[in-house]
Amino acid sequence: MHIPDGFLSTPVCLATGAISIAAVGYSVYRLKHSLADRTIPLAGMVSALVFTGQMVNFPVLMGTSGHLVGGVLAARLVGPWAGCLSLTLVLFVQRFLFADGGLLALGANVFHMAVVGAMGGYAIQAVVTRLLGRTTRASVIGTVVASWITVMLAAFLCCLEFALSRDSLRGFDLGRFLVLMILFHAFIGIGESLISGGIIRMVSFRRPDLLYQSEPSRVTRPGFPTAQGLLIALLVTICLAPLASSLPDGLDSAIQQSVSVRPEVDSPSLFGSYEGIFGETTWHVWSVILSGLIGTLVVFAIAVILGRPYSGSDDTTPGDPSD
Amino acid sequence: MTVAALIDVRRLGFRYTDGPPALTDITFRVEPGETVAILGPSGAGKSTLLLHINGLLPSRLPTEHSDEATITVGDLPLTSANLNAVREKVGLLFQNPDDQLFCPTVARDVAFGPLNLGLSPEMVTARVERALAEVGLESFADRDTMRLSMGERKRACLAGLLACHPDCLVLDEPFSNLDPRGRQQIASIVRRFSGTTLLATHDLDLVGDLCDRVLVLDSGILCADGETRTILSNQSLMEKHGLSVPTCRDPATMNTEKPSASSPNVTYNSDSGSEDRLPILDHNLPDDPAVPLSRPPDGAPA
Amino acid sequence: MTDNARYTQTRTFHGSVAKLAASLAIVLAACSLSWEDWPATGALLALALAGLAVSGMPLAELARRLALFSPVVALLALSIPLSQGFSSGWSLAATVASRATVSFLAGLWLIHVLPFDEMLLTLKRLRIPDVCISTLSFMHRNIFVLWEETRRIRTARKARRFGRTDRLDEWRAAIGLIATLVIRSLDRGDRIHRAMLARGWDGHFRHWQKVPASDPGPVEPS
């Protein structure tokens, strides 16, 4: 997930950095007013928590392992502002203590994980939770959905920035790259939603007071039926996926055109190869739709499983260590 | 300059959210310069009571007594207006030193309190050095707070409190998780402290050594308040509240530093094998020497 | 503060800023070069390696860090030609990999020559908001506390597991581990907050450096 230096061009790094500075600056401003003297211990503790949580390995396949990203988790625990600050600090410490992720790309990483992950994730989960009727179950489902969407969104933004980084895309099919990234991140997103959802599930049944509550009133409204929610999600996926996968195409051609204006970069073979690919079936649109549908179904299954009432016996508590 | 201050708690009640009352109608008074122990089983409300003395539980939920509840430290009643003034007087040691040490080095952690008092860097340095010397950690100033033994951590915490020059120390289980030497080191710091000390502990041997008076707290109710010797040797009272009479010492010889009056008659029950070292009370002593405090006398002296 | 102390501080500050700038310059230079400029990239690589050698980073440490870093970058770089059916994108992959490697080594050099504490001081002098710096320092300390806690929880779990595991169990256990960590660390955060309040905390972190022994300072009125 950490973008190293060199993947994005310097101007794109600076631009994402500027967005990140603005967002984190605003978070700090909000924190100064809302949390006052609790900011430092709370945000510091959650940063340390996310940092440590990221070091816990989840075995995937053949010795490889994944880990938590933690944006939605942090936002769920301390709210969007402290969550954003915490994730930023996590990325900072990873860069300056472990050389993890790029120096120039720090802004982009903060943008993806702290701004989109924590702030965006918080917004998504708040909307989903509200739609589902503000129950514990709804909040777990909201976390699952938000985790999935933020990872996919980050992957998508990453592709977009990658496209913007290249001043020429000669012979490079951005659509295919996007499909690969989206597919790869679909797995990461499923892992992330399982992990965050599982954690929030356990915390909200064992210690609901630790979760961030924006509104003190916890009125339970009749929720949105799950089946309808699934239907809407699938429809949105079907409508958005072609849009999403045609966006880089549009971007692609825009870049190509701007390049062609510049005489020194213009090459006659450029449009030929491009039209050749474009002339093929728009297979990547279909694969994005398909992966979107499968992903949506899987995430929904996770949401329903994790959202079921807590019996206490199904989760293996990790032992009671000596304090 | 440390001035021993009195701690006066009246009709204090407290309840955590969604919980049973943690404290019910607590009234007691610690005279200036006294060292008083709070005994009681785990979960009795000792830590909650100590947090109150520092004004750290502001969200006091209404109980039937809370309207009249007052806490006074020295000449200051604890209100939101003089919260910080009270905190300056009271040095509170937390149960787990890791909760208290949060700076990278020992010296910086000790400096945290004095800095918050607004002292100049020179004065802070002087206070840090003196506080570290008082707890015997002079050579640890630049040590990472993570790389300390439990005893060293507790002493570093105490240095952090002493550097603020408090009038009273409020210690939450200062002797827990320590080896005998560590306990003695903490005890000697407490002994040398000239102000008022209120400490919650399970270490009855050290209570006998250090404390003038003992309060017994159980299920949030103050069950007994009396002289150390009297309470520690009252077996029925101690066992009723999940405490045991000190096994390896004779309560009669406790508190040797204080020239106390005649020691009570203590006999040893020698016929039961397992309990042969437990002192059994002489029947000359009153049945329950502790003052029952569930209903304090009206118009108690201020 | 004595002149001597102020001088030392200023010098370290300038040194730290120079180190930061040097690292950033190498990264910027590397990111402006593509695969075709390999002699220049090679020179930067050599420079970063030389820096690491001078800074005295043990070879084993360097190898360990590289072993952790290279698969990630290799995966990302390879994904570019992979997405094109390995027909194109190789030069782009090589460019990404070479830039990332140089920048990684420059970053490694930086963290080796600029300890975290010094880094925080430098950030403070660079006018980064105090909240961020204090939170960073707070986080830095608690990472180790939580890591110890994680180890203890894990050991306790291992002791009761008797060697039998499957993947689902491991996922459940890891989720449970983090959830337990969440509960404990937030509770601990609350307790630390209280401990800070008890020592007069008002939300403003005051920095203090030990005044050297040569300057005894005024005797405190007591």
Side-chain angles (χ1 to χ4, degrees):
Chain A
M1 281 298 281
H2 291 63
I3 302 174
D5 280 329
F7 187 70
L8 303 176
S9 72
T10 309
V12 171
C13 286
L14 294 180
T16 47
I19 299 174
S20 302
I21 288 174
V24 176
Y26 184 67
S27 298
V28 170
Y29 167 78
R30 288 295 298 258
L31 282 177
K32 273 186 181 166
H33 293 269
S34 60
L35 276 174
D37 60 310
R38 278 189 83 205
T39 311
I40 289 171
L42 201 66
M45 193 44 101
V46 171
S47 308
L49 174 71
V50 171
F51 188 95
T52 318
Q54 288 191 349
M55 302 214 297
V56 175
N57 282 326
F58 288 81
V60 184
L61 275 176
M62 300 176 295
T64 59
S65 59
H67 66 77
L68 173 79
V69 180
V72 180
L73 176 71
R76 212 49 206 84
L77 292 174
V78 287
W81 317 120
C84 177
L85 178 64
S86 300
L87 260 284
T88 308
L89 297 183
V90 168
L91 289 166
F92 183 88
V93 167
Q94 281 171 339
R95 180 65 190 76
F96 288 103
L97 217 57
F98 299 95
D100 204 354
L103 182 68
L104 275 178
L106 189 61
N109 284 324
V110 168
F111 179 48
H112 296 157
M113 286 182 239
V115 180
V116 172
M119 280 164 127
Y122 184 82
I124 296 168
Q125 80 83 25
V127 168
V128 174
T129 307
R130 187 168 300 178
L131 279 180
L132 291 176
R134 285 185 219 272
T135 54
T136 309
R137 181 166 165 270
S139 100
V140 173
I141 292 177
T143 308
V144 169
V145 173
S147 304
W148 156 261
I149 294 178
T150 49
V151 170
M152 299 304 275
L153 206 58
F156 181 71
L157 284 169
C158 183
C159 286
L160 205 69
E161 290 154 14
F162 180 70
L164 288 171
S165 295
R166 314 264 84 85
D167 35 282
S168 121
L169 285 163
R170 250 171 303 172
F172 189 79
D173 185 350
L174 194 65
R176 292 185 183 214
F177 184 64
L178 179 74
V179 170
L180 186 79
M181 288 291 272
I182 293 276
L183 279 178
F184 180 61
H185 280 86
F187 285 102
I188 295 182
I190 287 171
E192 174 75 5
S193 59
L194 255 177
I195 301 170
S196 316
I199 294 167
I200 292 300
R201 171 184 162 75
M202 287 181 82
V203 173
S204 57
F205 283 108
R206 276 157 66 182
R207 288 290 304 277
D209 56 304
L210 292 181
L211 297 177
Y212 182 79
Q213 260 134 29
S214 51
E215 298 137 77
S217 66
R218 304 196 76 221
V219 189
T220 313
R221 284 192 300 148
F224 217 56
T226 315
Q228 279 181 32
L230 178 61
L231 204 68
I232 289 174
L234 289 175
L235 277 174
V236 167
T237 313
I238 291 169
C239 299
L240 276 185
L243 196 72
S245 50
S246 65
L247 187 59
D249 276 343
L251 197 74
D252 203 353
S253 58
I255 291 167
Q256 303 291 9
Q257 276 161 20
S258 75
V259 166
S260 71
V261 172
R262 283 185 253 158
E264 71 271 22
V265 200
D266 191 17
S267 66
S269 65
L270 193 139
F271 281 99
S273 71
Y274 185 71
E275 272 163 24
I277 294 162
F278 196 71
E280 286 173 23
T281 52
T282 51
W283 61 272
H284 51 255
V285 175
W286 292 109
S287 47
V288 167
I289 292 179
L290 194 67
S291 61
L293 288 182
I294 294 172
T296 311
L297 284 171
V298 170
V299 170
F300 238 88
I302 293 172
V304 169
I305 291 169
L306 288 180
R308 76 200 188 282
Y310 192 70
S311 63
S313 60
D314 55 344
D315 291 279
T316 39
T317 35
D320 304 311
S322 54
D323 279 306
Chain B
M1 184 68 206
T2 296
V3 189
L6 68 87
I7 302 173
D8 186 55
V9 176
R10 273 163 199 278
R11 306 189 77 105
L12 176 67
F14 180 75
R15 181 200 304 229
Y16 287 102
T17 328
D18 303 332
L23 295 175
T24 313
D25 201 10
I26 305 283
T27 300
F28 67 90
R29 183 186 166 94
V30 182
E31 297 300 331
E34 251 187 332
T35 302
V36 174
I38 303 178
L39 301 181
S42 299
K46 300 191 293 291
S47 299
T48 310
L49 176 58
L50 297 189
L51 287 176
H52 268 297
I53 292 170
N54 222 339
L56 285 169
L57 291 171
S59 56
R60 208 177 296 167
L61 296 172
T63 61
E64 60 260 54
H65 301 294
S66 70
D67 318 326
E68 319 144 39
T70 55
I71 297 172
T72 313
V73 178
D75 46 0
L76 286 175
L78 183 66
T79 60
S80 53
N82 50 21
L83 199 58
N84 286 325
V86 169
R87 284 176 186 163
E88 277 176 30
K89 285 175 181 281
V90 180
L92 175 60
L93 180 81
F94 283 66
Q95 202 169 341
N96 185 347
D98 281 337
D99 295 345
Q100 203 161 351
L101 298 171
F102 55 89
C103 296
T105 67
V106 174
R108 279 203 222 166
D109 206 276
V110 175
F112 179 79
L115 281 173
N116 284 333
L117 291 175
L119 300 178
S120 71
E122 289 79 14
M123 272 158 86
V124 172
T125 305
R127 281 205 181 187
V128 168
E129 278 167 1
R130 200 167 135 207
L132 285 176
E134 273 169 9
V135 301
L137 289 177
E138 301 96 322
S139 53
F140 288 68
D142 296 317
R143 194 78 87 79
D144 186 340
T145 45
M146 286 304 295
R147 293 178 212 288
L148 296 177
S149 73
M150 184 54 91
E152 287 158 359
R153 283 183 207 190
K154 291 224 170 188
R155 281 188 284 150
C157 288
L158 271 173
L161 305 184
L162 294 175
C164 302
H165 290 188
D167 294 341
C168 38
L169 283 180
V170 174
L171 313 173
D172 194 354
E173 307 224 358
F175 309 118
S176 63
N177 285 329
L178 292 182
D179 59 9
R181 192 204 295 169
R183 289 208 300 270
Q184 283 306 329
Q185 282 166 333
I186 303 281
S188 88
I189 296 169
V190 173
R191 213 172 273 134
R192 275 181 282 132
F193 179 66
S194 56
T196 314
T197 310
L198 181 62
L199 57 95
T201 184
H202 294 295
D203 196 314
L204 299 179
D205 291 332
L206 283 170
V207 168
D209 268 356
L210 289 171
C211 301
D212 310 301
R213 254 172 60 215
V214 170
L215 311 174
V216 178
L217 194 66
D218 195 355
S219 317
I221 296 165
L222 194 55
C223 309
D225 179 349
E227 232 178 279
T228 307
R229 211 154 29 95
T230 333
I231 292 206
L232 287 196
S233 50
N234 183 343
Q235 196 186 14
S236 65
L237 175 82
M238 295 294 274
E239 283 181 354
K240 189 175 156 202
H241 299 297
L243 302 162
S244 64
V245 174
T247 49
C248 50
R249 297 182 58 122
D250 179 354
T253 62
M254 280 180 179
N255 229 346
T256 43
E257 281 132 10
K258 314 273 189 288
S260 59
S262 60
S263 56
N265 280 330
V266 172
T267 57
Y268 289 92
N269 184 351
S270 52
D271 22 52
S272 67
S274 61
E275 292 180 329
D276 60 352
R277 297 179 65 199
L278 283 179
I280 302 296
L281 264 185
D282 188 15
H283 295 290
N284 293 340
L285 280 173
D287 279 337
D288 191 355
V291 185
L293 278 162
S294 53
R295 286 195 179 277
D298 291 331
Chain C
M1 196 185 295
T2 59
D3 287 348
N4 190 27
R6 193 169 290 135
Y7 170 71
T8 320
Q9 268 189 20
T10 317
R11 200 181 48 182
T12 15
F13 172 64
H14 287 318
S16 309
V17 171
K19 288 169 190 167
L20 265 174
S23 173
L24 192 65
I26 294 183
V27 173
L28 272 171
C31 286
S32 67
L33 298 169
S34 75
W35 172 242
E36 284 80 25
D37 312 311
W38 60 267
T41 309
L44 284 176
L45 192 72
L47 186 66
L49 282 173
L52 278 170
V54 170
S55 75
M57 171 170 263
L59 213 59
E61 170 81 2
L62 181 64
R64 198 176 60 81
R65 299 266 192 167
L66 272 174
L68 285 173
F69 161 78
S70 41
V72 179
V73 163
L75 188 73
L76 185 72
L78 275 180
S79 72
I80 298 170
L82 175 70
S83 70
Q84 310 298 309
F86 292 114
S87 60
S88 65
W90 286 104
S91 68
L92 201 55
T95 303
V96 167
S98 64
R99 286 176 177 178
T101 308
V102 172
S103 128
F104 173 74
L105 291 175
L108 214 52
W109 171 77
L110 182 69
I111 59 177
H112 201 71
V113 295
L114 191 62
F116 197 74
D117 265 6
E118 214 172 288
M119 166 73 123
L120 289 183
L121 272 178
T122 312
L123 287 179
K124 191 176 171 64
R125 295 284 297 268
L126 289 173
R127 305 269 172 98
I128 302 287
D130 226 23
V131 181
C132 298
I133 294 166
S134 314
T135 314
L136 260 178
S137 136
F138 191 89
M139 168 199 184
H140 185 239
R141 188 192 183 269
N142 279 290
I143 285 173
F144 299 102
V145 175
L146 290 189
W147 188 238
E148 284 294 310
E149 187 102 37
T150 315
R151 276 226 319 252
R152 281 201 297 269
I153 298 176
R154 242 193 219 146
T155 312
R157 198 174 70 204
K158 223 181 263 171
R160 297 195 314 186
R161 163 155 293 180
F162 314 117
R164 276 170 299 208
T165 61
D166 61 38
R167 195 159 286 145
L168 184 68
D169 254 8
E170 273 184 50
W171 272 67
R172 267 192 190 161
I175 288 172
L177 171 73
I178 301 178
T180 309
L181 213 56
V182 165
I183 294 172
R184 291 196 186 173
S185 62
L186 290 186
D187 277 346
R188 181 188 291 273
D190 257 1
R191 290 198 300 269
I192 294 178
H193 179 227
R194 275 184 194 154
M196 290 166 86
L197 286 178
R199 287 198 278 162
W201 169 250
D202 57 1
H204 297 284
F205 215 92
R206 293 168 181 83
H207 199 78
W208 166 79
Q209 267 196 324
K210 199 172 167 184
V211 179
S214 58
D215 178 22
V219 179
E220 196 183 331
S222 59

